[in-house]
Amino acid sequence: MPDRPDYAALTRGQIALLDRINAGEAGLAVLNQLVRLAQDVLGGLGAGFAEYSPGHGRIIAAAGVCARALGRRVELAGSPLATGRRTQLLPLEEVNDEFAGQIEGGDRHRMLGARCEISGLAVGSLHVYYGEDDSEPGPEHHDVLELLATNIAHMYGDQAGLPVHGDGPVVAALSDGLTIIDRDCVVQLWNPAAEQLTGRSAAEMLGRELPFPVPPPGQVLVHRLPSGRLLKVTAGDLPHTPAMRVVTFRDSTDQDRRHEDRDLFVAVTSHELRTPVTVIKGYADTLTNHWQTLGEDGRQEAVRVIGARAGELARLVDRLLSATSDDGEVAGHPPGPFDLAEGLRQAAADLPVDLRRRLVLDGLPAELPKAFGDRDSLATILTELATNADKYSDRDTEVEVSAAADEATVTFRVADRGIGVKPEHVERAFERYWQGDSHDRGRNPGAGLGLYLVRRIVERQHGWVSLRPRAGGGTVAEVRLPRA
């Protein structure tokens, strides 16, 4: 590592970023370039950015030796970066093992990290990793990392394609109305969502008193605007700035989200169950009413279809029940060592015939270290990933399944040559019930539960799963499990 940051590379990189932003690019594309810039300018082995959600974060951009951690869940409890100085240099043994301990490659020794904050609210953290033989990063390295972290925070503040997830109190605040006020309730910051919710622009509000009451910390106040809209208002003190308070508010006019989820579940269940039930009933009625005229071949085909659809129905019921559980648990067997390649071959053999014909398993090595997890869960994982690939690609193209290993994980990938996944959708695709635009949904839109369930199953086994666009077109789904 050089004694000083590469300021020439920093200047070139910042100009390139501005060019991309001025050209209308945003979101993960720009964020990934910022992460790569941090690695290059600061001379690290790798770099990554974790976006924060309630109680945990997730790696949504990564470069160098950190690239394989994309999609990895990061536990925030006890994290040194959650409090204290804005930038910190930490030995890896002090860093949460959920992230640092799973980064492969090189002789990783220490991490330089920086919180990305908006008015004292942390939206994530930027990390650069160094090897044992690298010299210790100096004050200039800290300053440059803080600059890049500030750039990321501005992207969140502008809502330029970020946040990727919308379920965190801080992240959600960016899509909610957010204002910073002083002791006299005079507005110091007024975000775009606040303008939309109240109909008052930042120019009108800055320097003026907040037009609605502020609840005490930890309490919620419901305020009715002259328009009739109801706002659910919360407030809290800004860390390190006791003279300032942050106030967030959201539209609570509509029904509670839990009721919306219940209604959506009923609609999804009705839609998903109708097809296999209709087919089973139709073939059963055919057997009952036309047993003699069907002949032996016809009867066997009807029984085969009923059996296949009954199996599909059983898997579907498991998916729906697992996906609507709020306790974070997915049923499964106790983990243990297993042969990943053999497990994938067996899972592929159990797929429906049309889908099985599209799968190419040539990328499964004969010698592969054993994985540690729930072997039986491979059937569900591969079914969901292969079905997803089938939906979004032409029937005359192949769906390739491959596997590999490194010193910490055993990996398998499901790759197609379909319409691909947009960078801004690689994380949203794992949300419950989420689906892309109608023209992106492939032949069978489905219910938006498959990838959500895959992530929960994989993370229960201390692994992680990610999506990325495939070079030359298509999508790659990658699952990483711990080595036995």
Side-chain angles (χ1 to χ4, degrees):
M1 180 186 68
D3 293 335
R4 302 185 67 197
D6 187 342
Y7 289 110
L10 177 63
T11 302
R12 291 192 301 269
Q14 293 279 51
I15 292 172
L17 282 167
L18 288 173
D19 286 343
R20 295 186 71 168
I21 292 171
N22 290 336
E25 291 191 63
L28 283 175
V30 177
L31 180 60
N32 272 297
Q33 185 168 338
L34 256 169
V35 170
R36 289 193 296 270
L37 183 61
Q39 176 189 330
D40 295 342
V41 171
L42 298 176
L45 295 171
F49 174 76
E51 182 180 272
Y52 290 174
S53 290
H56 72 275
R58 197 173 293 280
I59 306 302
I60 64 170
V65 299
C66 301
R68 296 172 183 172
L70 195 64
R72 191 70 162 91
R73 180 184 171 108
V74 183
E75 299 302 331
L76 300 180
S79 169
L81 275 177
T83 58
R85 298 188 305 276
R86 179 80 171 271
T87 64
Q88 297 184 49
L89 181 66
L90 300 165
L92 285 194
E93 56 264 26
E94 293 184 15
V95 180
N96 193 308
D97 186 64
E98 286 293 321
F99 179 32
Q102 294 292 343
I103 298 173
E104 304 88 3
D107 55 341
R108 303 160 315 281
H109 184 61
R110 57 174 72 91
M111 181 197 84
L112 181 62
R115 285 195 305 277
C116 302
E117 296 182 338
I118 304 173
S119 302
L121 301 174
V123 295
S125 53
L126 178 62
H127 322 92
V128 178
Y129 288 80
Y130 297 100
E132 187 172 3
D133 296 332
D134 289 324
S135 57
E136 183 169 310
E140 293 180 62
H141 293 79
H142 285 253
D143 292 341
V144 168
L145 188 65
E146 185 169 351
L147 169 67
L148 296 175
T150 301
N151 287 345
I152 293 175
H154 278 299
M155 291 174 61
Y156 276 82
D158 294 338
Q159 298 186 58
L162 298 169
V164 171
H165 305 93
D167 58 349
V170 174
V171 174
L174 302 177
S175 55
D176 292 349
L178 183 146
T179 180
I180 304 293
I181 59 175
D182 62 16
R183 290 181 183 274
D184 299 319
C185 290
V186 173
V187 174
Q188 307 297 315
L189 180 147
W190 191 256
N191 78 341
E195 295 184 348
Q196 295 176 357
L197 286 169
T198 64
R200 301 192 181 195
S201 68
E204 293 177 80
M205 293 307 306
L206 291 176
R208 298 192 177 186
E209 187 174 346
L210 190 67
F212 49 79
V214 179
Q219 297 186 25
V220 178
L221 180 148
V222 177
H223 175 76
R224 183 183 295 275
L225 295 174
S227 64
R229 171 176 281 173
L230 295 177
L231 297 182
K232 186 177 291 186
V233 186
T234 59
D237 294 329
L238 273 178
H240 317 301
T241 314
M244 309 293 283
R245 301 183 71 190
V246 59
V247 181
T248 61
F249 44 96
R250 64 175 55 183
D251 189 347
S252 64
T253 308
D254 296 334
Q255 289 183 329
D256 184 84
R257 183 177 177 179
R258 187 173 295 273
H259 294 156
E260 295 175 1
D261 279 353
R262 180 199 62 196
D263 295 342
L264 182 57
F265 172 65
V266 172
V268 165
T269 302
S270 301
H271 170 76
E272 288 280 278
L273 295 179
R274 186 175 293 117
T275 298
V277 168
T278 300
V279 172
I280 290 171
K281 185 178 186 303
Y283 273 90
D285 289 345
T286 298
L287 286 173
T288 300
N289 300 324
H290 305 283
W291 179 268
Q292 298 299 332
T293 59
L294 277 176
E296 183 63 22
D297 290 344
R299 290 193 291 266
Q300 287 186 2
E301 176 62 14
V303 171
R304 185 194 66 78
V305 172
I306 289 174
R309 290 293 184 165
E312 176 186 332
L313 185 61
R315 289 192 297 271
L316 181 56
V317 170
D318 286 342
R319 287 176 60 206
L320 291 169
L321 293 177
S322 297
T324 53
S325 170
D326 291 324
D327 59 8
E329 293 297 325
V330 179
H333 297 88
F338 69 93
D339 186 327
L340 178 66
E342 180 57 32
L344 288 170
R345 291 189 186 95
Q346 182 60 54
D350 294 336
L351 291 173
V353 175
D354 290 346
L355 183 53
R356 189 167 69 243
R357 287 172 179 163
R358 296 192 60 190
L359 252 59
V360 176
L361 305 178
D362 295 343
L364 299 180
E367 297 295 331
L368 194 69
K370 289 187 181 297
F372 190 83
D374 178 4
R375 184 188 188 280
D376 291 341
S377 71
L378 283 181
T380 299
I381 296 171
L382 184 62
T383 297
E384 299 298 345
L385 296 182
T387 301
N388 210 52
D390 180 59
K391 286 180 184 179
Y392 296 98
S393 60
D394 293 334
R395 288 281 168 83
D396 58 354
T397 61
E398 296 176 337
V399 176
E400 301 171 17
V401 180
S402 60
D406 52 47
E407 64 269 27
T409 62
V410 183
T411 306
F412 75 91
R413 301 176 182 89
V414 178
D416 63 61
R417 286 296 183 192
I419 60 178
V421 58
K422 297 177 181 178
E424 61 268 28
H425 291 168
V426 295
E427 277 297 314
R428 295 205 66 195
F430 291 100
E431 295 178 10
R432 181 168 59 179
Y433 304 130
W434 186 88
Q435 297 185 67
D437 299 333
S438 58
H439 62 279
D440 290 339
R441 294 186 193 172
R443 291 179 294 276
N444 304 297
L449 294 174
L451 291 178
Y452 168 81
L453 184 58
V454 166
R455 172 162 276 179
R456 291 183 65 180
I457 292 172
V458 173
E459 290 190 347
R460 180 180 59 82
Q461 301 174 66
H462 304 291
W464 67 97
V465 58
S466 62
L467 290 181
R468 65 174 180 272
R470 187 181 185 186
T475 303
V476 177
E478 180 177 274
V479 175
R480 286 185 174 270
L481 295 171
R483 277 181 58 153

